[in-house]
Amino acid sequence: MINLFIDGKEVEVPEGSTVLQAAEKAGKKIPTLCFLKDINEIGACRVCLVEVEGARNLLASCVTPVSEGMKVLTNTPRVRRARKLQVELLLSNHEMNCPTCIRNGNCELKQVAEELGIREIRFNDGKKTTYSKDNSTPALIRDPGKCILCRRCVSVCSNVQTVEAIVPIGRGFDTVIAPSGLKNLADSPCVKCGQCVLVCPTGALTEKEYIEEVWAALDDPKKHVVVQTAPATRVAIGQEFGYEPGSINTGQMVAALRALGFDRVFDTDFTADLTIMEEGTELLHRLKNGGKLPMITSCSPGWINFIETFYGDYIDHLSTCKSPQQMFGALTKTYYAEKFNIDPADIVCVSIMPCTAKKFEARRPEMISSGYPDVDYVLTTRELARMIKQAGIKFDELEEEEYDEPLGISTGAGLIFGATGGVMEAALRTVYEIVTKKELENLEFEFARGLEDVKETEIDLDGTKVRVAVAHGLKNARKLLDQIKNGESPYHFIEIMCCPGGCIGGGGQPIPTNTEIRQKRIEAIYKEDKNMPLRKSHENPVVQVLYKDFLGEPLSEKSHQLLHTHYTK
Ligand code: HC0
């Protein structure tokens, strides 16, 4: 342990700690901007400067290690002046349209300027960089005018996701964070996961909003507007309304959607159950008939973009199932439209997703098997919260409501799709019972749960041993893909989710989303699963009716037409 003094107060911290950590222990808050624990610890922004006795220059506390007897001052005139100067310089080259900025409500730059008491910017008349906005993808917007070059996005994209879609280009004042060659995001390897959006302290990286398009559909009396909500949204949206991270707000979210004017409020969990029927059957089919193994889940669109871009030769390992979002859209415009005698041309299908890549997925040309786009608009959890606020709905005063039937009926298995390992666990609950014809005594497949990088086990299906693995975050996905590439994969079935923690940590979730918050959302998902009356996908009564009345059986011709697809390199 190391003993040191922060503003005269003695603290003891483990060796290897930083001054920033020691200050926190001493009850002192040092402002930071570029710092992001475990992801971006580079001391680039110089906002966390402190005075250290014996050191000539001020030091960035986030990268300065503690030493025995060190004396640190966090609030001297020199420190205050230097921090202000750093932030004023950032602001002098920042597009200052705060009232109309998407991050107006939670901009860290604005927050730090407030904490430092900056009331004027001395260098406002200086030169400004003039890189233009990148609007090239249906999922993300990159706005260099708001970038403070903190490099959090660069770190998350290269170190967590191993994609390296954006990098620092140029030097000094002219530096810009952009795809190499100053390409547009659409022409870069970006997988649209939006992890950069979650860590951006300002509005330099954001989702592309479709709120106005959805308002227009809701205001059009000729349109029948149906909404589906992804599993992970219900354990996150509360955070936008002041609830503790990990609060479960399913009933209020349903009530809010109805109050916004959606004609039917349905649940993606329903088609998550359906996915298990299709994907589980596909796995058994491949095991029996010598199909391509390991089979890998195909429901996470950032992951699909990743395998297409970086491991194109291994695409036939993917399950052919569309994601639950897309299955839902295809069924809404066929089964639901026929059953309720609605012209599919009049149906607008909106998704509420924790994910920015879902916006891209919905625009894929292959996602129109019903003759109409499966899904018309995708809103993130954050966009839904903005709509609720725009409509003046008091979220915390809403009485809980239930999803509509039939496409709102789901099981705990569908719900746990939202957490890493959930698709695997849901699949095993069903596959085990189908193969063994025995009832599972313990529905909890603990090996699949939690934030460990790669999780794996072997399941005994009445003598047939099936080896399975789960990875979340693309760095971890790479580990399993490289095994396949090297001919060393011992697995039959793999679940991969693009974002750390799975969809609960998706790029469209409330900001902040960090490891602690991910953990709380995961706990909420499994708590809600435990409370569900049905917890296995094959027991979903509406899924059973759907097969009886419409699809026939899993992997039927109709299923293939509507619910499956093929990805290409
Ligand atoms: Fe997910 Fe999904 S679980 S990808 O993470 O499979 O976004 O929540 O909606 O489609 O169901 C996201 C979350 C979904 C889909 C489902 C899957």
Side-chain angles (χ1 to χ4, degrees):
M1 297 298 277
I2 301 281
N3 289 288
L4 72 160
F5 297 88
I6 305 285
D7 298 329
K9 181 175 173 181
E10 185 166 9
V11 281
E12 191 183 60
V13 290
E15 206 174 328
S17 302
T18 61
V19 168
L20 183 69
Q21 288 168 319
E24 200 177 328
K25 178 125 194 249
K28 282 290 164 84
K29 180 171 186 272
I30 294 177
T32 56
L33 265 179
C34 68
F35 176 76
L36 202 60
K37 195 168 170 344
D38 299 331
I39 294 174
N40 199 46
E41 304 188 3
I42 58 172
C45 74
R46 320 295 293 171
V47 169
C48 66
L49 292 172
V50 293
E51 243 179 281
V52 175
E53 194 181 276
R56 215 166 50 160
N57 296 326
L58 298 178
L59 300 176
S61 60
C62 70
V63 288
T64 303
V66 294
S67 59
E68 190 62 36
M70 193 180 211
K71 293 198 172 85
V72 180
L73 296 173
T74 71
N75 183 29
T76 65
R78 191 174 164 217
V79 163
R80 287 197 299 271
R81 269 201 308 276
R83 288 180 187 165
K84 264 191 173 174
L85 176 66
Q86 295 302 330
V87 176
E88 276 184 85
L89 287 169
L90 291 174
L91 290 170
S92 71
N93 189 26
H94 188 76
E95 206 172 85
M96 299 278 238
N97 54 2
C98 304
T100 55
C101 178
I102 200 169
R103 290 294 299 274
N104 184 22
N106 66 352
C107 170
E108 290 182 48
L109 179 61
K110 207 169 139 204
Q111 176 75 24
V112 165
E114 167 59 18
E115 284 170 10
L116 296 178
I118 294 174
R119 295 286 172 256
E120 59 177 343
I121 299 152
R122 286 168 285 169
F123 324 105
N124 244 347
D125 300 332
K127 197 175 143 205
K128 292 191 194 270
T129 45
T130 53
Y131 297 105
S132 52
K133 216 183 211 185
D134 178 356
N135 223 342
S136 60
T137 82
L140 300 172
I141 294 180
R142 193 178 59 81
D143 186 353
K146 292 180 184 156
C147 177
I148 60 168
L149 305 177
C150 70
R151 291 163 171 73
R152 287 183 183 181
C153 56
V154 175
S155 294
V156 91
C157 190
S158 47
N159 303 340
V160 177
Q161 298 295 57
T162 62
V163 169
E164 295 178 25
I166 41 176
V167 291
I169 298 175
R171 300 182 67 181
F173 181 77
D174 292 319
T175 308
V176 63
I177 307 295
S180 42
L182 285 178
K183 286 194 199 107
N184 279 328
L185 276 178
D187 303 320
S188 80
C190 171
V191 299
K192 329 289 183 296
C193 70
Q195 289 301 306
C196 56
V197 177
L198 286 183
V199 299
C200 180
T202 68
L205 285 154
T206 66
E207 69 271 37
K208 189 176 272 186
E209 282 188 314
Y210 292 90
I211 292 177
E212 288 308 320
E213 287 83 346
V214 174
W215 279 130
L218 290 171
D219 291 339
D220 184 343
K222 290 199 292 296
K223 296 295 181 194
H224 182 80
V225 192
V226 164
V227 67
Q228 57 168 318
T229 63
T233 52
R234 66 209 71 200
V235 295
I237 190 159
Q239 203 178 317
E240 293 282 346
F241 297 96
Y243 287 84
E244 278 296 304
S247 297
I248 304 167
N249 297 91
T250 318
Q252 283 158 299
M253 182 172 71
V254 172
L257 288 163
R258 226 167 253 135
L260 286 172
F262 287 97
D263 293 296
R264 291 288 180 282
V265 183
F266 290 143
D267 202 354
T268 318
D269 295 16
F270 166 74
T271 31
D273 281 333
L274 185 65
T275 300
I276 291 302
M277 301 306 295
E278 293 290 325
E279 202 167 79
T281 310
E282 187 184 358
L283 174 65
L284 293 174
H285 201 260
R286 288 199 197 190
L287 285 168
K288 197 165 152 209
N289 300 311
K292 196 72 159 176
L293 293 173
M295 186 177 92
I296 315 180
T297 57
S298 56
C299 45
S300 166
W303 150 240
I304 298 294
N305 294 341
F306 181 80
I307 190 170
E308 283 176 329
T309 308
F310 295 98
Y311 291 88
D313 290 342
Y314 303 92
I315 258 175
D316 50 357
H317 284 271
L318 290 174
S319 157
T320 60
C321 286
K322 282 186 186 174
S323 75
Q325 155 169 280
Q326 298 304 135
M327 285 193 187
F328 181 93
L331 287 177
T332 301
K333 294 187 180 179
T334 53
Y335 173 69
Y336 172 76
E338 280 171 32
K339 193 172 165 81
F340 294 89
N341 202 18
I342 305 167
D343 183 349
D346 291 332
I347 296 179
V348 177
C349 183
V350 177
S351 311
I352 312 297
M353 293 281 143
C355 173
T356 47
K358 287 279 178 200
K359 291 174 186 272
F360 178 85
E361 180 185 46
R363 300 277 162 121
R364 278 178 172 271
E366 55 269 55
M367 299 297 172
I368 53 161
S369 46
S370 66
Y372 300 90
D374 296 344
V375 172
D376 295 286
Y377 302 113
V378 178
L379 303 178
T380 59
T381 314
R382 294 191 294 269
E383 286 168 275
L384 172 60
R386 285 178 212 137
M387 282 188 81
I388 294 170
K389 287 172 191 168
Q390 285 170 24
I393 294 165
K394 293 186 175 170
F395 188 82
D396 57 339
E397 292 179 15
L398 289 169
E399 296 280 341
E400 296 189 20
E401 293 182 16
E402 300 282 335
Y403 284 99
D404 287 311
E405 292 189 20
L407 309 186
I409 304 303
S410 63
T411 73
L415 172 65
I416 61 176
F417 266 55
T420 164
V423 182
M424 176 62 69
E425 181 166 341
L428 292 176
R429 287 180 191 178
T430 288
V431 167
Y432 181 90
E433 293 203 351
I434 289 177
V435 174
T436 66
K437 302 196 171 51
K438 284 186 231 154
E439 194 175 336
L440 252 184
E441 280 169 27
N442 181 7
L443 291 186
E444 275 91 34
F445 286 85
E446 293 291 343
F447 85 91
R449 299 184 177 190
L451 289 171
E452 205 184 311
D453 290 355
V454 175
K455 300 166 276 189
E456 58 131 39
T457 198
E458 187 173 274
I459 305 284
D460 186 348
L461 299 175
D462 257 359
T464 309
K465 305 257 197 273
V466 179
R467 287 197 72 171
V468 298
V470 172
H472 59 117
L474 297 174
K475 183 180 176 180
N476 296 328
R478 249 184 215 283
K479 296 176 189 166
L480 295 177
L481 259 293
D482 285 340
Q483 282 183 336
I484 295 175
K485 198 171 165 183
N486 299 332
E488 295 164 353
S489 178
Y491 304 114
H492 300 96
F493 185 35
I494 293 175
E495 175 205 297
I496 293 182
M497 283 291 177
C498 170
C499 292
C503 287
I504 53 89
Q509 292 286 60
I511 298 170
T513 288
N514 52 37
T515 305
E516 194 190 343
I517 290 175
R518 285 184 169 95
Q519 188 61 51
K520 287 184 176 166
R521 291 181 191 151
I522 288 173
E523 283 161 21
I525 287 253
Y526 288 112
K527 188 170 158 206
E528 186 82 327
D529 164 45
K530 264 213 145 133
N531 291 332
M532 301 282 282
L534 294 173
R535 297 179 66 199
K536 300 172 216 162
S537 297
H538 54 288
E539 291 179 352
N540 183 323
V542 182
V543 168
Q544 292 168 354
V545 169
L546 177 71
Y547 277 115
K548 189 164 139 295
D549 293 352
F550 186 72
L551 293 171
E553 58 185 5
L555 305 187
S556 68
E557 204 183 316
K558 204 159 202 171
S559 290
H560 267 293
Q561 186 208 333
L562 294 174
L563 311 179
H564 291 254
T565 189
H566 280 284
Y567 296 104
T568 49
K569 264 206 250 183

